[in-house]
Amino acid sequence: MFELFDDILTIEDVAEALKTGTTQVYKIVRSGQLKAYKEGKDWKIPKVCLIEYIQQKVAFPAIHKK
């Protein structure tokens, strides 16, 4: 799915992969929806965790209120 990315991603990598901004990725990581760990001051996201996050979103789409 993300063959061009390393096995460990940065916030910027995830933002690029999800086609969103880094602020949104920080929110997702801090909420615990996307598993990540902090190394020094930098967040590291295993690629498998990003794939799991996407699969979960597809399996359980959000219900939008009208």
Side-chain angles (χ1 to χ4, degrees):
M1 181 183 279
F2 298 113
E3 294 83 13
L4 300 177
F5 290 96
D6 292 333
D7 289 338
I8 303 295
L9 308 171
T10 64
I11 292 289
E12 292 77 14
D13 293 334
V14 174
E16 181 183 339
L18 295 178
K19 302 202 183 323
T20 190
T22 57
T23 302
Q24 182 63 26
V25 177
Y26 279 114
K27 287 180 185 178
I28 295 168
V29 167
R30 289 185 179 130
S31 72
Q33 296 177 56
L34 176 57
K35 295 176 187 172
Y37 63 93
K38 216 165 182 189
E39 189 171 273
K41 64 178 184 172
D42 299 323
W43 284 100
K44 304 293 183 182
I45 302 98
K47 187 180 354 182
V48 295
C49 293
L50 175 60
I51 293 168
E52 288 172 6
Y53 170 78
I54 293 168
Q55 290 172 338
Q56 181 182 22
K57 288 295 184 185
V58 171
F60 301 104
I63 299 172
H64 299 285
K65 294 182 181 181
K66 292 184 180 182

